[in-house]
Amino acid sequence: MSLKQEESSKSSMVHSRNWIGGEWIVPAAGECAVVNPSDIREEVGVLHLSDASHVRQAEQAARSAYASWSRLTGAARGEHLHRLAAALEARAAEVARLASMEMGKPITEMRGEVMRGVNLLRYYAAEGVRASGAVIPSSEPDVLQYSRKVPLGVVGIITPWNFPVAIPLWKIAPALICGNTVIWKPAESASLTATRLAEIFAEAGLTPGVVNLVVGKGGKIGGPLLEQIALDAVSFTGSTATGTHIAETCAKRNIKYQTEMGGKNAAVVLSDADLEHTVPLIVSGAFRSAGQKCTATSRIIVESGIYDSFTEALTQAVSRLKLAPALDPEAYLGPVASAGQYETVNSYVQLAWEHAEILAQGPAAAEDREGYYIRPLVAAGLNAEHPLIQEEIFGPVAVVLEASDFKEAVALCNQSVYGLSASLFTRDLSFAHRFLDEARAGMVRVNQETAGVEYQAPFGGMKLSSSHSREQGQAALDFYTELKTCAIRYF
Ligand code: NAD
């Protein structure tokens, strides 16, 4: 690269910024380069890191905005969300491109994710004028008794990098419509996209202090955020290790929290499954977004009667997958998101080559790219306790297990500390119903991939996948409010 080219590429680089009380602040507690996971020779931008002082500033801004924001009518708050939706829709292509370059999700998927964010904003905007609460008959005469939902106050929102637009919005939109204000700490690997979203909020005229963005490392600003300021609630999505630590901290402070965490999702294929439809859905569940979805299919449990024909069809399908740079519209999967992800996922790939039978491996990415590419891999021949079967890999690696019948398949499906999503593939309605009853997961599905959530339906996991509350749909409105029981006597 010539000096001139280098200078012009530096000037087009994106810089993260904090947005606190409507002010833009470039924090100076450290900085690091953001490289494009599709080609690590390319710098996308610079991350400017915050410290505890920015968290305290955000607390003050969120607290002072709360007084007026919580008193607005639901309709007025809804108007704000409608404006955010329109502004995001107008910038959808640009946001999707930046996110693809920052964390490696293929552009076609990323565009869909941004539009889901737009829909989430519109869905919750409409909640501003919907009925909530109930009239409860009093046992005394001349008393009107009713319940109403009231906001919690200042909510801390901590998000991961794998859905850099949808997850923040499925938390921020319901928090705001319910009358809360927000301090948002995005993942390091999605902070440029978070900055762009905050810029869009500012352009759309969102009241200063209602959302406050603080960019930084979880290990550094997580402590101040959770322990040094007076948060009223926390909504977290990320790993089980971080989530359980956050849950402990919030429980000690007796503030409301929700933690949505890891998964080790199973797809069960019965002998009567329609392979033509089943195989593409399983491949999509396992390998879209390079397997970096909490709901990704990472265990495939196959009934003996169909084992050979299923694995043959799966092997062929995996051999045709296109692993390519995230901005390639033909990419089925892109790179994994970061150097850390590359190292962790590759350690599981190595384990698979050492301990398992390799059933299938997808083609490599083009050689002129230096990115965090990991070829899709399907392994088999492991016992049910093996780390590849039990631990969340969060990459393009799936393992196949054989089950003699439906009963054994469900037992294997439930043999996990996680319980986020589970799918069954069958044409038998009785087995379909039994699976929906017996699978221990927050999302149970038949003839659908384990990944894929609809914003109007509750979402969350069982066991170590979640703190057992639910996000999205109407369930989110319960989390971001608490109930007051009101009674008034008239004379
Ligand atoms: P992570 O736990 O490393 O980080 C998540 C967020 O927590 C980031 O913003 C991070 O900076 C912050 N954080 C880290 N340490 C912290 C601390 N001590 N205090 C406060 N905040 C801290 O997870 P990740 O690598 O970003 O995301 C991948 C994980 O997220 C996977 O396990 C995946 O299954 C899970 N996930 C779950 C869901 C779900 O809805 N269940 C959805 C997406 C991702």
Side-chain angles (χ1 to χ4, degrees):
M1 206 187 273
S2 73
L3 195 60
K4 212 169 165 191
Q5 278 172 322
E6 206 171 304
E7 271 168 13
S8 98
S9 99
K10 277 199 173 139
S11 64
S12 66
M13 279 203 299
V14 186
H15 289 255
S16 76
R17 299 189 283 172
N18 288 345
W19 189 45
I20 300 178
E23 301 290 321
W24 291 104
I25 298 155
V26 179
E31 63 175 55
C32 46
V34 177
V35 295
N36 184 345
S38 297
D39 193 332
I40 58 176
R41 294 166 298 188
E42 186 187 341
E43 267 186 39
V44 182
V46 182
L47 211 60
H48 299 274
L49 302 170
S50 308
D51 59 25
S53 68
H54 302 104
V55 175
R56 285 193 292 272
Q57 248 176 297
E59 180 202 17
Q60 278 177 10
R63 188 66 59 200
S64 81
Y66 177 72
S68 52
W69 182 256
S70 59
R71 275 202 298 269
L72 283 184
T73 61
R77 290 196 291 261
E79 275 309 308
H80 276 275
L81 294 199
H82 276 302
R83 283 207 306 278
L84 301 188
L88 179 59
E89 191 169 29
R91 305 259 186 220
E94 178 202 325
V95 172
R97 188 180 155 83
L98 175 63
S100 284
M101 289 172 70
E102 185 176 20
M103 48 66 74
K105 184 177 291 191
I107 188 71
T108 41
E109 271 190 87
M110 205 49 243
R111 283 195 201 116
E113 184 184 330
V114 176
M115 286 317 294
R116 179 150 135 217
V118 171
N119 289 333
L120 275 155
L121 285 162
R122 293 200 169 121
Y123 175 81
Y124 286 111
E127 290 304 322
V129 289
R130 292 239 163 80
S132 74
V135 174
I136 304 150
S138 171
S139 320
E140 294 183 41
D142 301 333
V143 170
L144 172 64
Q145 177 170 256
Y146 59 95
S147 64
R148 51 186 287 242
K149 288 178 174 173
V150 296
L152 302 170
V154 176
V155 180
I157 285 181
I158 303 175
T159 51
W161 45 265
N162 66 330
F163 283 89
V165 174
I167 292 181
L169 290 178
W170 83 46
K171 294 176 187 293
I172 291 171
L176 295 190
I177 200 67
C178 291
N180 304 284
T181 55
V182 163
I183 302 174
W184 173 26
K185 189 243 156 298
E188 294 87 309
S189 311
S191 295
L192 300 181
T193 306
T195 304
R196 192 68 198 104
L197 283 178
E199 285 165 0
I200 291 168
F201 291 177
E203 281 162 25
L206 184 65
T207 309
V210 166
V211 171
N212 302 279
L213 173 70
V214 183
V215 170
K217 292 202 181 280
K220 178 138 188 180
I221 59 172
L225 182 64
L226 296 163
E227 292 170 49
Q228 293 173 20
I229 64 166
L231 278 184
D232 297 299
V234 174
S235 179
F236 164 88
T237 299
S239 63
T240 297
T242 311
T244 44
H245 162 71
I246 288 176
E248 263 173 41
T249 313
C250 293
K252 274 194 201 131
R253 298 185 63 171
N254 197 30
I255 59 172
K256 199 171 181 184
Y257 64 87
Q258 66 179 179
T259 51
E260 287 304 329
M261 304 176 281
K264 188 73 189 174
N265 313 292
V268 174
V269 185
L270 296 187
S271 295
D272 71 339
D274 172 348
L275 286 191
E276 199 188 319
H277 290 106
T278 300
V279 171
L281 290 170
I282 288 187
V283 168
S284 171
F287 300 118
R288 289 246 183 235
S289 290
Q292 300 169 112
K293 294 182 187 175
C294 51
T295 49
T297 304
S298 56
R299 296 178 295 149
I300 307 166
I301 300 165
V302 188
E303 203 177 4
S304 301
I306 203 171
Y307 189 86
D308 290 340
S309 47
F310 172 80
T311 50
E312 196 186 316
L314 180 67
T315 303
Q316 279 184 20
V318 171
S319 72
R320 292 193 293 266
L321 298 181
K322 184 167 180 188
L323 171 62
L327 290 182
D328 181 340
E330 311 259 286
Y332 191 91
L333 68 161
V336 295
S338 62
Q341 269 293 98
Y342 189 66
E343 198 182 315
T344 312
V345 177
N346 267 326
S347 70
Y348 284 106
V349 170
Q350 198 181 334
L351 206 59
W353 282 102
E354 284 165 8
H355 292 191
E357 170 200 351
I358 302 302
L359 283 183
Q361 192 176 34
E367 273 170 14
D368 62 337
R369 303 289 176 162
E370 275 181 36
Y372 299 131
Y373 296 102
I374 298 181
R375 295 166 68 180
L377 191 80
V378 183
L382 296 160
N383 69 48
E385 285 76 36
H386 193 279
L388 285 164
I389 310 272
Q390 291 301 329
E391 294 173 13
E392 183 182 47
I393 299 172
F394 218 57
V397 179
V399 285
V400 177
L401 289 156
E402 190 172 345
S404 55
D405 56 14
F406 174 80
K407 195 169 167 218
E408 192 192 358
V410 175
L412 283 170
C413 172
N414 288 339
Q415 192 180 332
S416 170
V417 293
Y418 298 108
L420 189 50
S421 180
S423 289
L424 177 76
F425 291 87
T426 185
R427 286 187 260 211
D428 184 311
L429 195 55
S430 298
F431 282 134
H433 279 294
R434 277 179 59 189
F435 185 78
L436 296 173
D437 281 348
E438 293 171 24
R440 292 266 298 135
M443 293 225 316
V444 282
R445 323 179 96 197
V446 174
N447 297 326
Q448 281 193 291
E449 62 177 271
T450 56
V453 261
E454 299 200 21
Y455 60 84
Q456 70 276 30
F459 172 66
M462 293 181 175
K463 301 193 264 182
L464 276 188
S465 291
S466 161
S467 55
H468 316 289
S469 60
R470 292 290 179 263
E471 299 201 272
Q472 305 193 70
Q474 297 294 298
L477 304 172
D478 291 334
F479 177 75
Y480 290 103
T481 53
E482 56 191 329
L483 276 182
K484 245 185 195 176
T485 304
C486 308
I488 181 164
R489 183 189 298 277
Y490 42 97
F491 299 108

